[in-house]
Amino acid sequence: MALNLDDIRGLFEAHGQLAYSGEPVTQLEHALQSGALAESEGAAEELVAAAFLHDLGHLLNRQGETPTARGIDDLHQYFALPFLRPVLPEAVLEPIRLHVDAKRCLCAIDAAYFGKLSVDSVRSLELQGGIFTDDEAQVFLKKPFAEDALRLRRWDDLAKEANRATPDLDHYLNLVSRVMERHAAM
Ligand SMILES: [Fe+2]
Ligand SMILES: [Fe+2]
């Protein structure tokens, strides 16, 4: 039950036009913008791949419009991992897995961060367990790939801009393909 590159392409082609809940971008635009922001900061290809794929769980487990408004936490940060684990390294999987907890952590350690969250992000924050305590934040920060997850999270929050120009789907699928090939060769 691994997803190959064609499966990932198929998911974006079939469902990429879904709205990104409560934001003025589609799922595909959100993925492309996240990847582009990671690249613009010179992130390693593994982290760019994580940024591009971080919400793949939404495409695999579709919950309709704005599930947070119905009190649903879709746990999308975990949903794609079993399908990606056979083909991608921890450097991709862990930032994806941690990108929701990264928000809970940033709210605890960065006083300005909470104020910049979108309405839907604030609503989902409560469903996802709320702001970390200081102790919880310290535990999070010691996890492998925590720093990458925090970077991904900040790109995630910015990747919600209508009509921003980005590289296309093929650009990021090619990048994911390189990451997969390197991982398979290890
Ligand atoms: Fe997400
Ligand atoms: Fe996202």
Side-chain angles (χ1 to χ4, degrees):
M1 67 170 199
L3 287 173
N4 63 29
L5 206 63
D6 283 339
D7 297 327
I8 295 172
R9 177 193 302 278
L11 281 168
F12 278 107
E13 287 177 348
H15 308 298
Q17 296 313 310
L18 287 170
Y20 188 84
S21 283
E23 314 291 353
V25 288
T26 65
Q27 288 287 342
L28 175 61
E29 288 170 325
H30 180 63
L32 298 177
Q33 290 184 20
S34 296
L37 287 159
E39 279 187 299
S40 74
E41 287 192 16
E45 288 199 326
E46 282 71 13
L47 187 53
V48 177
F52 169 63
L53 296 171
H54 77 274
D55 281 335
L56 197 69
H58 282 312
L59 303 185
L60 281 164
N61 177 32
R62 296 177 297 283
Q63 295 281 342
E65 188 61 19
T66 321
T68 56
R70 288 176 274 124
I72 295 171
D73 175 10
D74 64 5
L75 299 173
H76 71 280
Q77 67 273 36
Y78 306 126
F79 206 87
L81 298 179
F83 305 97
L84 297 178
R85 192 167 297 287
V87 290
L88 288 167
E90 294 283 299
V92 179
L93 304 175
E94 281 300 290
I96 294 174
R97 188 173 73 84
L98 296 174
H99 84 270
V100 170
D101 279 351
K103 174 172 70 170
R104 302 173 66 199
C105 181
L106 283 167
C107 287
I109 65 174
D110 179 346
Y113 178 80
F114 179 82
K116 288 185 276 188
L117 288 177
S118 66
V119 172
D120 200 66
S121 269
V122 171
R123 185 164 47 213
S124 58
L125 174 65
E126 285 314 310
L127 295 169
Q128 290 157 346
I131 298 171
F132 275 162
T133 64
D134 288 344
D135 285 351
E136 288 170 331
Q138 292 311 314
V139 169
F140 176 86
L141 291 169
K142 292 194 183 81
K143 292 183 177 180
F145 301 103
E147 206 57 46
D148 284 347
L150 296 181
R151 294 181 76 194
L152 193 163
R153 185 70 219 187
R154 292 187 188 275
W155 301 322
D156 183 7
D157 294 322
L158 292 172
K160 300 174 178 179
E161 187 182 303
N163 304 313
R164 182 190 285 164
T166 63
D168 64 7
L169 179 60
D170 276 326
H171 174 83
Y172 292 102
L173 290 170
N174 288 335
L175 182 147
V176 171
S177 173
R178 290 194 294 275
V179 174
M180 285 176 168
E181 282 169 17
R182 278 200 293 275
H183 182 57
M186 277 170 64

